[in-house]
PDB file of all heavy atoms in Angstrom:
ATOM      1  N   ASP A 657      14.826  13.330   3.565  1.00 93.00           N
ATOM      2  CA  ASP A 657      15.197  14.565   4.254  1.00 93.00           C
ATOM      3  C   ASP A 657      13.916  15.285   4.695  1.00 93.00           C
ATOM      4  O   ASP A 657      13.110  15.685   3.869  1.00 93.00           O
ATOM      5  CB  ASP A 657      16.018  15.441   3.317  1.00 93.00           C
ATOM      6  CG  ASP A 657      16.493  16.731   3.974  1.00 93.00           C
ATOM      7  OD1 ASP A 657      16.265  16.896   5.194  1.00 93.00           O
ATOM      8  OD2 ASP A 657      17.076  17.565   3.261  1.00 93.00           O
ATOM      9  N   ARG A 696      -7.465  -0.280  12.907  1.00 97.00           N
ATOM     10  CA  ARG A 696      -6.726  -1.411  12.337  1.00 97.00           C
ATOM     11  C   ARG A 696      -5.335  -0.999  11.876  1.00 97.00           C
ATOM     12  O   ARG A 696      -4.399  -1.796  11.944  1.00 97.00           O
ATOM     13  CB  ARG A 696      -7.524  -2.052  11.204  1.00 97.00           C
ATOM     14  CG  ARG A 696      -8.746  -2.819  11.695  1.00 97.00           C
ATOM     15  CD  ARG A 696      -9.239  -3.804  10.665  1.00 97.00           C
ATOM     16  NE  ARG A 696      -9.874  -3.150   9.521  1.00 97.00           N
ATOM     17  CZ  ARG A 696     -10.267  -3.788   8.421  1.00 97.00           C
ATOM     18  NH1 ARG A 696     -10.054  -5.088   8.296  1.00 97.00           N
ATOM     19  NH2 ARG A 696     -10.862  -3.137   7.443  1.00 97.00           N
ATOM     20  N   MET A 699      -3.096  -0.922  14.937  1.00 95.00           N
ATOM     21  CA  MET A 699      -2.715  -2.255  15.405  1.00 95.00           C
ATOM     22  C   MET A 699      -1.578  -2.847  14.594  1.00 95.00           C
ATOM     23  O   MET A 699      -0.934  -3.812  15.036  1.00 95.00           O
ATOM     24  CB  MET A 699      -3.939  -3.186  15.346  1.00 95.00           C
ATOM     25  CG  MET A 699      -5.043  -2.816  16.316  1.00 95.00           C
ATOM     26  SD  MET A 699      -6.563  -3.765  16.030  1.00 95.00           S
ATOM     27  CE  MET A 699      -5.975  -5.441  16.302  1.00 95.00           C
ATOM     28  N   GLY A 732      -9.073  -0.330  -0.025  1.00 98.00           N
ATOM     29  CA  GLY A 732      -8.955  -1.621  -0.689  1.00 98.00           C
ATOM     30  C   GLY A 732      -7.551  -2.174  -0.793  1.00 98.00           C
ATOM     31  O   GLY A 732      -7.315  -3.115  -1.561  1.00 98.00           O
ATOM     32  N   GLY A 737      -6.818   0.567   5.814  1.00 98.00           N
ATOM     33  CA  GLY A 737      -6.288   1.586   4.908  1.00 98.00           C
ATOM     34  C   GLY A 737      -7.383   2.479   4.364  1.00 98.00           C
ATOM     35  O   GLY A 737      -8.470   2.017   4.007  1.00 98.00           O
ATOM     36  N   PHE A 767     -13.919   7.430  -4.758  1.00 97.00           N
ATOM     37  CA  PHE A 767     -13.478   8.757  -4.349  1.00 97.00           C
ATOM     38  C   PHE A 767     -14.618   9.769  -4.501  1.00 97.00           C
ATOM     39  O   PHE A 767     -15.389   9.707  -5.466  1.00 97.00           O
ATOM     40  CB  PHE A 767     -12.307   9.231  -5.212  1.00 97.00           C
ATOM     41  CG  PHE A 767     -11.073   8.386  -5.095  1.00 97.00           C
ATOM     42  CD1 PHE A 767     -10.419   7.944  -6.234  1.00 97.00           C
ATOM     43  CD2 PHE A 767     -10.547   8.041  -3.862  1.00 97.00           C
ATOM     44  CE1 PHE A 767      -9.272   7.173  -6.148  1.00 97.00           C
ATOM     45  CE2 PHE A 767      -9.407   7.267  -3.758  1.00 97.00           C
ATOM     46  CZ  PHE A 767      -8.763   6.835  -4.905  1.00 97.00           C
ATOM     47  N   ALA A 777       0.028   5.549  -8.302  1.00 98.00           N
ATOM     48  CA  ALA A 777       0.230   5.089  -9.676  1.00 98.00           C
ATOM     49  C   ALA A 777       1.403   4.126  -9.741  1.00 98.00           C
ATOM     50  O   ALA A 777       2.125   4.066 -10.740  1.00 98.00           O
ATOM     51  CB  ALA A 777       0.456   6.282 -10.602  1.00 98.00           C
ATOM     52  N   LEU A 786      -6.299  -8.902 -11.906  1.00 97.00           N
ATOM     53  CA  LEU A 786      -5.874  -9.778 -10.832  1.00 97.00           C
ATOM     54  C   LEU A 786      -6.316 -11.219 -11.085  1.00 97.00           C
ATOM     55  O   LEU A 786      -5.582 -12.164 -10.778  1.00 97.00           O
ATOM     56  CB  LEU A 786      -6.435  -9.284  -9.491  1.00 97.00           C
ATOM     57  CG  LEU A 786      -6.131 -10.155  -8.268  1.00 97.00           C
ATOM     58  CD1 LEU A 786      -4.633 -10.340  -8.082  1.00 97.00           C
ATOM     59  CD2 LEU A 786      -6.764  -9.569  -7.018  1.00 97.00           C
ATOM     60  N   GLN A 789      -3.764 -12.813 -13.209  1.00 97.00           N
ATOM     61  CA  GLN A 789      -2.531 -13.029 -12.460  1.00 97.00           C
ATOM     62  C   GLN A 789      -2.664 -14.216 -11.510  1.00 97.00           C
ATOM     63  O   GLN A 789      -1.736 -15.024 -11.377  1.00 97.00           O
ATOM     64  CB  GLN A 789      -2.188 -11.766 -11.671  1.00 97.00           C
ATOM     65  CG  GLN A 789      -1.852 -10.566 -12.542  1.00 97.00           C
ATOM     66  CD  GLN A 789      -1.694  -9.300 -11.724  1.00 97.00           C
ATOM     67  OE1 GLN A 789      -2.318  -9.148 -10.663  1.00 97.00           O
ATOM     68  NE2 GLN A 789      -0.882  -8.382 -12.195  1.00 97.00           N
ATOM     69  N   LEU A 844      -9.984 -21.688   8.059  1.00 98.00           N
ATOM     70  CA  LEU A 844      -8.622 -21.174   8.128  1.00 98.00           C
ATOM     71  C   LEU A 844      -7.635 -22.163   7.518  1.00 98.00           C
ATOM     72  O   LEU A 844      -7.796 -23.385   7.658  1.00 98.00           O
ATOM     73  CB  LEU A 844      -8.233 -20.886   9.577  1.00 98.00           C
ATOM     74  CG  LEU A 844      -9.021 -19.784  10.280  1.00 98.00           C
ATOM     75  CD1 LEU A 844      -8.582 -19.668  11.733  1.00 98.00           C
ATOM     76  CD2 LEU A 844      -8.839 -18.458   9.555  1.00 98.00           C
ATOM     77  N   SER A 892      17.574  -6.360  -1.511  1.00 93.00           N
ATOM     78  CA  SER A 892      16.849  -7.357  -0.729  1.00 93.00           C
ATOM     79  C   SER A 892      17.288  -8.779  -1.073  1.00 93.00           C
ATOM     80  O   SER A 892      17.803  -9.045  -2.169  1.00 93.00           O
ATOM     81  CB  SER A 892      15.348  -7.224  -0.976  1.00 93.00           C
ATOM     82  OG  SER A 892      15.031  -7.596  -2.304  1.00 93.00           O
ATOM     83  N   ILE A 918      -6.939   5.907 -15.422  1.00 97.00           N
ATOM     84  CA  ILE A 918      -7.479   6.610 -16.589  1.00 97.00           C
ATOM     85  C   ILE A 918      -8.976   6.878 -16.417  1.00 97.00           C
ATOM     86  O   ILE A 918      -9.501   7.914 -16.842  1.00 97.00           O
ATOM     87  CB  ILE A 918      -7.188   5.799 -17.870  1.00 97.00           C
ATOM     88  CG1 ILE A 918      -5.676   5.806 -18.149  1.00 97.00           C
ATOM     89  CG2 ILE A 918      -7.969   6.343 -19.062  1.00 97.00           C
ATOM     90  CD1 ILE A 918      -5.233   4.810 -19.199  1.00 97.00           C
ATOM     91  N   PHE A 933       4.357   7.686  -6.601  1.00 97.00           N
ATOM     92  CA  PHE A 933       5.058   6.410  -6.418  1.00 97.00           C
ATOM     93  C   PHE A 933       5.420   5.732  -7.738  1.00 97.00           C
ATOM     94  O   PHE A 933       5.490   4.505  -7.817  1.00 97.00           O
ATOM     95  CB  PHE A 933       4.229   5.449  -5.546  1.00 97.00           C
ATOM     96  CG  PHE A 933       3.547   6.122  -4.389  1.00 97.00           C
ATOM     97  CD1 PHE A 933       2.183   5.958  -4.177  1.00 97.00           C
ATOM     98  CD2 PHE A 933       4.253   6.942  -3.525  1.00 97.00           C
ATOM     99  CE1 PHE A 933       1.545   6.589  -3.111  1.00 97.00           C
ATOM    100  CE2 PHE A 933       3.614   7.584  -2.463  1.00 97.00           C
ATOM    101  CZ  PHE A 933       2.262   7.412  -2.260  1.00 97.00           C
TER     102      PHE A 933
END
Side-chain angles (χ1 to χ4, degrees):
D657 182 5
R696 289 199 288 173
M699 293 171 61
F767 297 131
L786 177 57
Q789 295 173 331
L844 295 177
S892 68
I918 292 168
F933 320 128

